Amino acid sequence: MPIIVNIDVMLAKRKMSSGELAARVGITQANLSILKTNKAKAIRFSTLDEICKALDCQPGDILEFTEE
């Protein structure tokens, strides 16, 4: 899939753990792991909104399009 999720990059920049982000967003660590490893087929806008709020970033900071 040509969409890459860069949550790990933002977590490192914000010095936040995956567990802390999952708790703030209200998702399981397993679902966050699926997003981080680019295995997700979709993401709800409400989840993306909460991730962006928790990481104080824009969607373009965590989602990247690449040519296959």
Side-chain angles (χ1 to χ4, degrees), residues 26-68:
I27 61 174
T28 65
Q29 288 191 17
N31 282 340
L32 182 58
S33 177
I34 289 169
L35 284 172
K36 287 172 41 179
T37 57
N38 292 312
K39 293 181 181 175
K41 299 291 182 193
I43 183 170
R44 291 181 182 191
F45 280 136
S46 59
T47 302
L48 182 59
D49 177 56
E50 291 300 319
I51 290 171
C52 289
K53 285 178 186 174
L55 293 174
D56 188 29
C57 67
Q58 294 294 312
D61 295 329
I62 57 174
L63 298 176
E64 178 184 346
F65 174 77
T66 60
E67 295 288 335
E68 285 189 307

Side-chain angles (χ1 to χ4, degrees), residues 9-22:
V9 174
M10 292 306 298
L11 283 171
K13 286 182 179 179
R14 301 296 188 252
K15 297 180 180 168
M16 185 184 297
S17 69
S18 293
E20 184 180 349
L21 178 62

